[in-house]
Amino acid sequence: MFKTVFTLFRGTVAVAEEELQDRTALVILDQQMRDAAAAVDRSKRTLALAIAGDQQEGRRLDATNARIADLEQRASAALEGGREDLAREAAQAIANLEAERDAAMTARALFASEITRLKRHVGNAEARIAELDRGRRLARASEAVRSLRRSGIEAARPYESTLPEAEATLKRLRERQMEIQAADEALIEIDAAAGPLATAEKLAEQGFGPRMKSTADDVLARLKARRPPAA
């Protein structure tokens, strides 16, 4: 039982962690990209230092080669002038300069290798960051659309529940009004058919008592009576 409860607890924690990561994925991605961009900036500074060091070693190498060439000319002139002692001194200086030249050349080779590696690393990192940035913009756009849809659905839900109710209410109201109107008309007909006036009209039609309504003959007789007598 304890093992089951512990497993359930671990599962719940894992699900909660996944949900937290999903909710904060964009925030985490933003920070990861900032960290990656900072690392690339550090690599760029390292690359700049390597290039500066290579340029410095290049200037040192050029100066050393120039000094070597100058001393070789002077040593040759000393030999021609019979001053082997001076020529030997110049030769020693040349040997020292050649050692410095070789060191500068080795340093430049190391710098060249490191510069190539750093350029490749920075270029690859910048391309990946650019790809991540495009993906992040798409993710943000998708999240914004999803949020708008969710907001639209939530905003529409009250209307979705109210509109059918309003339509049903209107339908019931119309049906009730039609029922009331039909009942009123039926009552009028009943009253007209069973009331005293209806009875009097029925008797008049049978010749019992004066007619309740004028007829065409009545109207003609009345009009004739209004005519002046013939001269």
Side-chain angles (χ1 to χ4, degrees), residues 23 101 116 128 191 201:
R23 289 195 301 270
R101 178 198 62 191
T116 300
R128 292 172 67 183
D191 291 341
E201 288 180 351

PDB file of all heavy atoms in Angstrom, residues 23 101 116 128 191 201:
ATOM      1  N   ARG A  23       3.130  25.504 -18.994  1.00  0.00           N
ATOM      2  CA  ARG A  23       2.629  26.861 -18.782  1.00  0.00           C
ATOM      3  C   ARG A  23       3.732  27.906 -18.881  1.00  0.00           C
ATOM      4  O   ARG A  23       3.485  29.043 -19.275  1.00  0.00           O
ATOM      5  CB  ARG A  23       1.942  26.966 -17.413  1.00  0.00           C
ATOM      6  CG  ARG A  23       0.609  26.243 -17.323  1.00  0.00           C
ATOM      7  CD  ARG A  23      -0.160  26.687 -16.096  1.00  0.00           C
ATOM      8  NE  ARG A  23       0.576  26.449 -14.871  1.00  0.00           N
ATOM      9  CZ  ARG A  23       0.514  25.328 -14.160  1.00  0.00           C
ATOM     10  NH1 ARG A  23      -0.270  24.339 -14.550  1.00  0.00           N
ATOM     11  NH2 ARG A  23       1.224  25.187 -13.041  1.00  0.00           N
ATOM     12  N   ARG A 101      61.407  34.481 -33.899  1.00  0.00           N
ATOM     13  CA  ARG A 101      60.573  34.374 -35.093  1.00  0.00           C
ATOM     14  C   ARG A 101      59.809  33.064 -35.121  1.00  0.00           C
ATOM     15  O   ARG A 101      58.615  33.033 -35.422  1.00  0.00           O
ATOM     16  CB  ARG A 101      61.453  34.471 -36.336  1.00  0.00           C
ATOM     17  CG  ARG A 101      60.721  34.333 -37.645  1.00  0.00           C
ATOM     18  CD  ARG A 101      61.696  33.999 -38.751  1.00  0.00           C
ATOM     19  NE  ARG A 101      62.366  32.715 -38.492  1.00  0.00           N
ATOM     20  CZ  ARG A 101      63.431  32.278 -39.186  1.00  0.00           C
ATOM     21  NH1 ARG A 101      63.947  33.027 -40.154  1.00  0.00           N
ATOM     22  NH2 ARG A 101      63.981  31.119 -38.900  1.00  0.00           N
ATOM     23  N   THR A 116      39.820  29.993 -36.374  1.00  0.00           N
ATOM     24  CA  THR A 116      38.960  29.202 -37.262  1.00  0.00           C
ATOM     25  C   THR A 116      37.891  28.465 -36.470  1.00  0.00           C
ATOM     26  O   THR A 116      36.705  28.439 -36.841  1.00  0.00           O
ATOM     27  CB  THR A 116      39.805  28.200 -38.059  1.00  0.00           C
ATOM     28  OG1 THR A 116      40.765  28.920 -38.841  1.00  0.00           O
ATOM     29  CG2 THR A 116      38.937  27.368 -38.979  1.00  0.00           C
ATOM     30  N   ARG A 128      21.837  28.952 -35.108  1.00  0.00           N
ATOM     31  CA  ARG A 128      20.878  28.229 -34.271  1.00  0.00           C
ATOM     32  C   ARG A 128      20.014  29.183 -33.458  1.00  0.00           C
ATOM     33  O   ARG A 128      18.812  28.954 -33.267  1.00  0.00           O
ATOM     34  CB  ARG A 128      21.637  27.270 -33.352  1.00  0.00           C
ATOM     35  CG  ARG A 128      22.305  26.126 -34.102  1.00  0.00           C
ATOM     36  CD  ARG A 128      23.209  25.312 -33.217  1.00  0.00           C
ATOM     37  NE  ARG A 128      22.458  24.590 -32.199  1.00  0.00           N
ATOM     38  CZ  ARG A 128      23.036  23.842 -31.260  1.00  0.00           C
ATOM     39  NH1 ARG A 128      24.355  23.741 -31.212  1.00  0.00           N
ATOM     40  NH2 ARG A 128      22.300  23.201 -30.381  1.00  0.00           N
ATOM     41  N   ASP A 191     -70.449  35.336 -27.448  1.00  0.00           N
ATOM     42  CA  ASP A 191     -71.302  36.418 -26.967  1.00  0.00           C
ATOM     43  C   ASP A 191     -72.244  36.899 -28.057  1.00  0.00           C
ATOM     44  O   ASP A 191     -73.439  37.196 -27.823  1.00  0.00           O
ATOM     45  CB  ASP A 191     -70.461  37.576 -26.455  1.00  0.00           C
ATOM     46  CG  ASP A 191     -69.734  37.218 -25.164  1.00  0.00           C
ATOM     47  OD1 ASP A 191     -70.152  36.246 -24.505  1.00  0.00           O
ATOM     48  OD2 ASP A 191     -68.731  37.901 -24.840  1.00  0.00           O
ATOM     49  N   GLU A 201     -82.141  40.186 -33.303  1.00  0.00           N
ATOM     50  CA  GLU A 201     -81.911  40.165 -34.731  1.00  0.00           C
ATOM     51  C   GLU A 201     -82.559  38.936 -35.362  1.00  0.00           C
ATOM     52  O   GLU A 201     -83.134  39.008 -36.471  1.00  0.00           O
ATOM     53  CB  GLU A 201     -80.403  40.163 -35.023  1.00  0.00           C
ATOM     54  CG  GLU A 201     -79.736  41.495 -34.734  1.00  0.00           C
ATOM     55  CD  GLU A 201     -78.268  41.456 -35.027  1.00  0.00           C
ATOM     56  OE1 GLU A 201     -77.739  40.339 -35.295  1.00  0.00           O
ATOM     57  OE2 GLU A 201     -77.624  42.518 -34.994  1.00  0.00           O
TER      58      GLU A 201
END
